[in-house]
């Protein structure tokens, strides 16, 4: 029995189909969505969503954070940013990381909420670079 997966970014629906399992980067650690799993809302961190069919990964997508809504029959991922791992531009991600690092260096170190946002973005871009490097 498959599970319906949808990965939706602000720009478009990247995927909408049935798979055997979805492994995604939860904020607290990786988690799998499978048929008949308990309903759950999940905060995502930047990382790779892997789609499985017949015990093999068929597709990998990078998500830059967002939410996942899991039920017994479907998993909907609402991503802040999403793209196939094969389409990641390491050059663009590296430039983004440099800009974020510069923003971190210039940030008011007493502005904890700003530092938290920058830290999350830096970790997400590092995960994007890692995912893109592993796809090469």
């Amino acid at each position: 029995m498959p599970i319906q997966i949808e990965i939706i970014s602000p720009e478009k629906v990247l995927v909408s189909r049935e798979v055997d399992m979805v492994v995604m980067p939860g904020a607290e650690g990786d988690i799998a969505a499978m048929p008949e799993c308990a309903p759950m809302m999940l905060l995502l961190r930047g990382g790779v969503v892997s789609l499985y069919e017949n015990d093999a990964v068929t597709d990998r997508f990078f998500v830059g954070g967002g939410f996942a809504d899991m039920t017994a029959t479907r998993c909907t991922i609402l991503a802040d940013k999403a793209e196939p791992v094969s389409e990641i531009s390491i050059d663009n991600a590296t430039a983004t990381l440099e800009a974020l690092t510069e923003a971190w260096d210039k940030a008011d170190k007493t502005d904890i909420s700003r530092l938290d946002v920058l830290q999350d973005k830096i970790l997400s871009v590092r995960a994007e670079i890692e995912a893109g490097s592993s796809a090469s």
Side-chain angles (χ1 to χ4, degrees):
M1 169 191 249
I3 186 169
Q4 179 70 30
I5 175 68
E6 287 189 325
I7 301 176
I8 304 166
S9 74
E11 294 84 26
K12 63 183 176 179
V13 175
L14 271 82
V15 67
S16 179
R17 70 171 200 260
E18 291 185 338
V19 297
D20 294 331
M21 180 174 66
V22 180
V23 176
M24 63 199 106
E28 303 283 324
D30 291 355
I31 190 165
M34 298 179 286
E36 304 304 321
C37 71
M40 180 185 311
M41 285 290 289
L42 180 70
L43 181 63
L44 299 175
R45 71 179 193 284
V48 175
V49 174
S50 299
L51 307 183
Y52 286 78
E53 293 181 41
N54 299 319
D55 296 325
V57 175
T58 58
D59 294 290
R60 297 174 65 224
F61 296 88
F62 175 79
V63 295
F67 296 91
D69 180 26
M70 299 185 304
T71 69
T73 59
R74 75 181 304 112
C75 177
T76 303
I77 295 174
L78 302 173
D80 299 338
K81 170 186 178 179
E83 66 184 319
V85 167
S86 62
E87 295 179 14
I88 291 174
S89 168
I90 294 177
D91 290 340
N92 289 347
T94 301
T96 300
L97 180 59
E98 289 172 3
L100 288 168
T101 302
E102 185 176 324
W104 174 273
D105 291 341
K106 293 179 179 178
D108 176 1
K109 299 306 185 258
T110 63
D111 186 352
I112 301 303
S113 60
R114 173 74 177 137
L115 293 175
D116 284 346
V117 168
L118 284 171
Q119 181 179 357
D120 288 346
K121 288 181 179 181
I122 288 169
L123 291 174
S124 179
V125 172
R126 285 181 178 163
E128 182 178 6
I129 292 168
E130 183 179 329
S133 297
S134 70
S136 303

